Amino acid sequence: MTAVQYVSFDQLAPALDYVKDRTERFRFIAGGTDLVVQMRSGKTTAESLVDISRVGELRGIHEAKDCVIIGALSTIEDIRRSPLVERRFPALKEAADVFAAWQVRNLATLGGNVCNASPAADTALPLLVYRAKLIAFLGIHQREIPIEGFFRGPGKTCLEAGELVGQIILPMEASGGSAFLKLGKRQASILAVVNVAAYVGTKGGVVTEARLALGSVAPTPVRASKAEEFLVGKPAVDKNFTQAAALVDEDIKPITDVRAGAKYRVRMAKTLAFRALRLASARARRSSA
Amino acid sequence: MSRTVLEHEEEEANRLLNQWLHGNDFVVVGKSVARVDGLDKVLGKLKYMEDYFSKDMLFARIVKSEVSSAYLEKVDFTKAATIQGFVDGITAKDVTGQNQVGYFLLDQPAFADGVIRFRGEPVGLALAKTPEAAEEASRLVRLEHREKAAVFDPLEAIKSSVLVHEERKSNVAFTTKVRKGDAEKGFQESDVVVENTYRTGYQDHAPIEPEGAIAIPTPEGITVISCNQHPAFAQMIVARVLGCQQREVRTVQSAMGGSFGGKGEIGPTLSAQAAVAAHKLKKPVMLMYSREDSIASRPKREPSIIRYRTGATSDGRLKAIEADITLESGAYVTAGPIILLRATLHASGPYIVPHARVDGRLVYTNKVSIGAFRGFGNPEIHLAAESNLDELALKIAMDPVEIRLKNALTEGSATVTSQVLSDPVGLIETTKKVAKESGWYTKRKAYGKAVGDRARGIGVACAWHGVSTSGNAPDWSSGYIIIRNDGSVDSYSGLVEMGQGLTTTITQVVAEALGIEAGMVTVHMGTSDAPDAGATHASRGASVGTMGMLVAASQLRRRLDRMASKMLGCPEDQVVIRRGFAFHRRFKERKILWGDLVHECYNSGVELSATGYYFVPKERFDEEKGSGFAYPAFSYMTVVVEVEVDLKTGMVFVKRVWPGLAAGTIINPSVVVGQVRGAVIQGLGYALMEEVQTQNGKVLNQNFTDYLIPTVRDTPRIMKLVTVEEPWKDGPFGAKGMGELSLVAIAPAIANAVRHATGMRPKEFPLTPERVSNLLNEGETS
C-alpha cells in the first residue's frame, strides 16, 4: 500500500469544497472496510484520502412523513440495531444481520456498501426492492438518484468525480412483506454466492406488487423484472413463486469464480428467489391480517 | 560414581517409572491444572514473533516467483532499489553454506537457484528499514527467466516426461506398500465388495500468526528467534545453510500463534532465510510472511486421490482391503514420504483385516508443496476407509456401529501390517459409550428422511493414530531438571509450546514425579539450549517426548527418597513425598518440609540436577515385504456426528458432535478437551470448506476472504468427551498422544452423516454446498 495524503472533515460542506479543486487521484473514506483492503492489494490506487467518517450530519436514521431517511454514514450495526428499520424494512435488517462480522459492521457504512458497488453487496438488494433514492452532493449541488440506475458495473456507479452519497431515502411501503436471504460457503462472515431480497404486496391472496433483486449473479445487483411481471395479478401460492423464480435467469448473468460455478449460481438464484418470495408473501399476509 | 552404581540407580529409577505407570492416587496428574501460560495470554503479555520487532532491525519480505516452472537467470533489484528505505536484496548467491532446506530429501533450496518449481517459490529477500518499504520493494524485483514446461495434475505427472526435478528420473518421489495375506483370495472369499475413488484437496493450516523469524548476529555466531516445532532441527538447518557448526547457532522460540504441523518445515526454512541476510549484512533481520505469502508459498495438507476396495462376508466380517494412494507432493517432498508412509500403515482403519494390499506413491507437480499437518496422511485414508465401510454395511443391511464393533482391533490383534498389539486398545468400549451417549440407534432409525427441503443424518467414524515416528525411524527424548536451593524447580526440554498446552502437561509430570505442587515448577521449552527431546510432532510431545524428562525426574526422586529416609530414619520404600512434604507412609505425624529436604541434599553432597534420556523400543518394519512393526502404540477415537442438510442449496449444518477417546492416561483433562474441540472445528473445516484452490499452479484464494475456515457460527455443539483410559508403558504416567488423532475421524463421520441424510455418497472433498448440491442433482450412490 502506497503512502497517501490524508485529510479529515467533520462537516459536509468543507469536505465538498475541499475536493472541488483536487487534481490528484483522491477517494472519500468512511469505514474503509472495502477501500483499505483494495488499496493494500493494489486493486485501487489513491494519492489522497478524504476522511468523512466524522461528518455527524450524515449519520443517523430518521422517520419523516412518508419515508425514512438514513444518513449514508450510518454503520451497518446502526442499521441492524434500529427498531425503525426492523419494523418498516425487515429485509434491510436481515441483510445487516448477515453482513460480514461484528467488527466490520461497526465500521462499514451503508453509503460505503452502496458506493463500493460490489455485485455481492448485501444491503444493495433490500435498497433495490424498497426503491431507495440516493441523495448525492457535488460541490454546492444536490441531486436525487433512484437506486435502479445507480450501479453501472463491478465497482462502478453513476456518481461523478467528487460526488458523494449523503443520504438514502426509503419510501414507506404499504402493507407488503419483504425478506432477504443469503447463501455463502459458511454460516457467517462470508461473501454471498447468491443473495436475494424480495418485496411482495398482496390483496385477497393475489399478488398486487412484486419486487425481486439478486446479487452475485451479474456485474451489478439486479432486479428480476420478468419474475416480478409474471407474479403480479396471480394468486400468492407456491406454484406461482416457483414459476416466477424460474424466470430469474432472464435477468441474471453469473460467472464462475473462486466462490462458485455459474451453473450452481443459476440454480441457487432460483432456489433463493423462490424462498424469498414465499417468505415475503407470508409476511405480507401476516401484516395485512 | 562407578558404573554399577549408575546402573543400580537406573534400575531403581525404572522401578519408580513402573510404580507411576500403575499408580492411581495422583496429586497433579489427571487434574485440570490451569494453563501455565493462560493468564499471560488473556492479558496480552505473551510475546509473539512480531512483538520482538525493534527499530534497529532490518525488515525482510520474500520475493516470490510469478511463474510455475522456469529456468531462473537473473534476480534484478534495480527497480526495488529506488524505494526509499531499501537496503539490500538477498538471493541464492548470498548463501555461504549449502542452499538446502530439504526435510526428508535434499530437494529444496532456501532460495530458488537456477530453477523455479512452483509459483510463489521464494527466490530471495527484499530488505528495507521498514516493513512497508520491504513490501513495496519485494513487488518491484524483476525476475529474468526462460519458461519451462510445467505439470499440474498428479495423475498426469506420474507418466509425464515433463520432470519437476530434472535430475530425478521420474515425478514419482517416493513409494510405499503394505502386504498382508493374499488380497485377491480375500476378495474372492468376500460376499460383498465396495470400491470407490475419493479425492481431497489442499488444506492450509491458517495459523492466526503467519510465519516469521528474527536472526541476530552475536559474538558466538547467530541467534534465531522463530516459530518451529523442533529447535535442534532448526539449528541444524541454519548451520547447514550458513556453512557453520551447529554450536554457533542458537534457536529460541517466540510464543506461537498456531502451527498444527505447519511450522515444522517452514519454521527452519524461514530461520535459514533470515539468517543468510543477517549474516551478510551483520545486522538483526526480521522476516515475516504476509498472509498472502503464507497461503501461496508455505506447505499445506496433501491433496489425495485414493482408490479403495473393501470386501466382507455377508455377516459383516472384513476379509480384505485394497488401497491405491496417490498423494500430490507439489514442488518438494518436505515430510511427504513419511506422510505417505503413515497413510499406508493405517490404511485399514482400526480393524482386523486378514488380507491387505496397499500401494502408495508421492508425486511431484509444479505447485506449492505439501507438508506436515495434524493427522499426517490419516485424514484422507480414513475418509476412504470409513466411507467404504459404511457403504459395505448398507449393502448387507448392518448398522454402521455394529460393523465397527464386529471388526474392531483389540489387545492381541494383528494389525494390517501384522504387528501384534501388545497394549490395551479400548476401541470397542469407546465406541459403545459414544453410541450410547449420542442416542445412536434411535436417531439412526429416525433420521435420513427429508422434511421439506431439509434432512437430518447421523454418522459414525472410528480412527487410529500411531504414537511416535513411523516404522523404523528412531525415537528418543531427553530432559534436564535442576532443583534450585530454595526448592523451586527449573526443567528444560527441547519440545515446543504451540498453543496445545504442552508446557502445562510437562509441569504436571515433573511436579507429580518430584512430589510437589505444579506451582513450584517452571518448564523452559523451545530452545536449542535445552536437551533435544525430538520434534513436537507425531503426537509424541506429551507422550514419548516427555519420557526423557520423567526419567530425569525419577533419578532426582530416588535421591530425594534416600535423603528423606535418612532424615526420617525409615526404610526408603516407606518414604512418601507428596504436596511438598516428605513423611513415613504410616507414621504421618512427622513431616519434613520440601525446602528442608532440598537444603539437606545441597549440604550433604547430593546432586539435585539430572538429565534423563529415553529411547523408545521398536521392532522392525520390513519395507521390502511391506509388513512388520509400525508404531510402538496407537491411540483410538470414535466420533458420532449429527448433521442437517439443505437438500436444495447443499449446505451442510453440523449440529452436534460426540467424541470418544482411548489414548492412555490423560494427564490434563481440560487440555485434552481443548485439543478435541479445536480438532472438531479444524476437521469440520477440512470436511466442509477449507480448500486452497489453484489454476495452472496459481493459488486463487490467498486471503481469508476466500480461504474459508469455520467461524463460531459454523461450530456445532461439542458434547462431553467420553474417555477410556488404559496406561501405556512408554508414555509418562501411561499417556499416549491425541492431538492429531482427534482430527482424523471428524471428516469421515461428517461424510457418513451426510450420506445418511441425503442417500448419496460424497467422494470429493471438501463438501462445499456446491459439491453437495451437484451430488444430489447428478450423482449416484455407489
Side-chain angles (χ1 to χ4, degrees), chain B residues 374 637 639 675-676 679-680 738-746:
Chain B
R374 194 181 205 175
M637 186 142 184
V639 175
Q675 284 269 15
V676 168
V680 166
M738 51 70 63
E740 294 178 88
L741 169 74
S742 46
L743 182 138
V744 174
I746 306 302

Side-chain angles (χ1 to χ4, degrees), chain B residues 537-554:
Chain B
H537 67 190
S539 296
R540 63 184 292 287
S543 183
V544 298
T546 300
M547 279 305 278
M549 188 67 85
L550 186 66
V551 169
S554 71

Side-chain angles (χ1 to χ4, degrees), chain B residues 563-590:
Chain B
M563 178 55 70
S565 87
K566 275 189 202 156
M567 291 170 78
L568 289 163
C570 74
E572 253 178 79
D573 59 5
Q574 294 302 304
V575 171
V576 176
I577 306 180
R578 200 175 162 84
R579 298 185 194 276
F581 294 98
F583 50 89
H584 188 289
R585 188 173 301 282
R586 278 180 294 139
F587 311 107
K588 298 176 184 170
E589 302 76 33
R590 197 176 150 217

Side-chain angles (χ1 to χ4, degrees), chain A residues 130-135 144-147 167-171:
Chain A
Y130 293 134
R131 292 182 296 194
K133 296 183 190 80
L134 311 177
I135 306 299
E144 191 181 280
I145 310 170
I147 195 161
Q167 276 136 8
I168 293 108
I169 294 178
L170 296 176

Side-chain angles (χ1 to χ4, degrees), chain A residues 52 59 84 138 155 253 257:
Chain A
I52 51 163
R59 187 169 177 178
L84 183 60
L138 178 64
K253 209 172 161 189
D257 64 13

Side-chain angles (χ1 to χ4, degrees), chain B residues 272-460:
Chain B
Q273 289 169 338
V276 169
H279 186 65
K280 180 186 176 192
L281 297 168
K282 309 278 176 269
K283 277 189 176 161
V285 169
M286 176 174 207
L287 168 64
M288 283 296 296
Y289 276 18
S290 66
R291 181 61 61 188
E292 290 84 353
D293 292 341
S294 183
I295 298 184
S297 189
R298 191 245 291 125
K300 330 206 162 301
R301 187 184 307 284
E302 56 288 349
S304 71
I305 302 161
I306 301 174
R307 188 176 56 75
Y308 201 104
R309 209 169 148 209
T310 314
T313 56
S314 56
D315 64 347
R317 180 110 15 225
L318 287 172
K319 293 299 286 184
I321 62 135
E322 184 182 65
D324 184 83
I325 308 166
T326 300
L327 298 187
E328 180 175 1
S329 193
Y332 301 103
V333 300
T334 71
I338 32 180
I339 293 170
L340 177 66
L341 180 60
R342 190 172 274 268
T344 308
L345 298 176
H346 289 85
S348 58
Y351 307 110
I352 300 164
V353 179
H355 306 285
R357 180 168 58 218
V358 187
D359 288 289
R361 69 195 62 79
L362 180 71
V363 187
Y364 284 123
T365 58
N366 288 108
K367 278 148 79 177
V368 61
S369 295
I370 62 154
F373 195 159
R374 194 181 205 175
F376 210 73
N378 263 338
E380 60 266 25
I381 196 67
H382 279 76
L383 255 179
E386 291 294 288
S387 293
N388 258 27
L389 191 59
D390 259 32
E391 290 306 312
L392 203 88
L394 276 164
K395 279 199 170 182
I396 56 171
M398 192 168 183
D399 182 90
V401 166
E402 292 303 314
I403 199 168
R404 285 170 173 82
L405 290 174
K406 187 154 198 166
N407 293 287
L409 290 166
T410 58
E411 191 173 344
S413 308
T415 68
V416 67
T417 65
S418 306
Q419 175 181 347
V420 176
L421 296 174
S422 54
D423 287 290
V425 170
L427 180 61
I428 290 179
E429 207 183 331
T430 306
T431 306
K432 282 182 176 165
K433 278 185 170 184
V434 170
K436 184 162 176 266
E437 288 287 323
S438 62
W440 168 267
Y441 295 99
T442 320
K443 287 175 183 164
R444 185 76 187 178
K445 281 200 187 77
Y447 298 173
K449 303 169 188 89
V451 180
D453 285 348
R454 296 269 182 134
R456 280 190 168 194
I458 190 164
V460 63

Side-chain angles (χ1 to χ4, degrees), chain B residues 481-551:
Chain B
I481 304 175
I482 177 161
I483 304 173
R484 305 293 178 187
N485 64 10
D486 67 351
S488 65
V489 177
D490 278 310
S491 47
Y492 298 82
S493 166
L495 293 170
V496 168
E497 174 65 57
M498 44 193 168
Q500 81 279 43
L502 187 55
T503 323
T504 310
T505 305
I506 299 177
T507 303
Q508 287 175 259
V509 168
V510 172
E512 186 72 53
L514 293 180
I516 50 179
E517 300 284 357
M520 293 289 286
V521 179
T522 298
V523 180
H524 307 268
M525 308 206 302
T527 166
S528 58
D529 295 347
D532 186 2
T536 308
H537 67 190
S539 296
R540 63 184 292 287
S543 183
V544 298
T546 300
M547 279 305 278
M549 188 67 85
L550 186 66
V551 169

Side-chain angles (χ1 to χ4, degrees), chain A residues 89-112:
Chain A
F89 303 102
L92 182 58
K93 200 259 180 201
E94 286 170 337
D97 279 341
V98 295
F99 187 104
W102 199 348
Q103 293 93 327
V104 174
R105 289 196 296 265
N106 277 335
L107 282 172
T109 63
L110 183 63

